[in-house]
Amino acid sequence: MSQFLLLLYAEESAWESLSEEEQQKIFQEYELFSQRHSEVIRGGAELHPTQSATSIRSDGKGGHLLTDGAFAETKEALGGYFLVEVETLDNALALAKELPLWSSAGVEVRPTIDDES
């Protein structure tokens, strides 16, 4: 078995422009997805908006620079993730295709590195 992250990206402004009813419908769809695939989901979470992030970089002298906000400005931001454990990339892609998406949302599927190999 391999583990994959299903990384959920969307434009934060597009999410904020949805009505409360539309947002709740999407949350319910995520809950149904989680229930349907509970046997392979190993973790997951919704993230706070990028404005709540703090980025840390090396200062090049052995110290750190802290900056309010996301690491990079981007149109689409990481909004949440699921960690799944399945046999193959094709299985992970099939799961990702079942995730609820709206107009600006997308999913990135990435394998984790297995330290035991």
Side-chain angles (χ1 to χ4, degrees):
M1 294 287 255
S2 299
Q3 290 191 339
F4 296 86
L5 274 174
L6 309 182
L7 302 164
L8 308 167
Y9 287 90
E11 291 180 38
E12 289 178 332
S13 61
W15 175 257
E16 293 165 3
S17 71
L18 295 174
S19 70
E20 180 76 23
E21 183 178 282
E22 291 169 316
Q23 290 179 358
Q24 287 307 313
K25 183 178 183 298
I26 293 168
F27 283 134
Q28 289 170 352
E29 291 174 11
Y30 279 118
E31 183 61 33
L32 290 173
F33 173 86
S34 297
Q35 291 170 4
R36 248 190 340 269
H37 300 292
S38 62
E39 72 280 356
V40 297
I41 294 174
R42 301 295 175 253
E46 177 185 5
L47 302 177
H48 284 278
T50 55
Q51 66 199 32
S52 68
T54 302
S55 297
I56 303 172
R57 294 179 185 245
S58 167
D59 68 1
K61 302 173 189 170
H64 299 92
L65 297 172
L66 276 68
T67 308
D68 290 338
F71 187 71
E73 286 193 35
T74 180
K75 190 172 185 177
E76 293 182 340
L78 179 62
Y81 68 93
F82 286 97
L83 176 64
V84 298
E85 189 168 22
V86 293
E87 290 289 332
T88 67
L89 172 61
D90 286 340
N91 296 128
L93 294 172
L95 284 173
K97 289 177 183 177
E98 289 186 40
L99 286 163
L101 301 177
W102 61 99
S103 62
S104 75
V107 180
E108 178 182 345
V109 178
R110 292 182 60 183
T112 64
I113 295 175
D114 181 5
D115 289 336
E116 296 181 18
S117 23

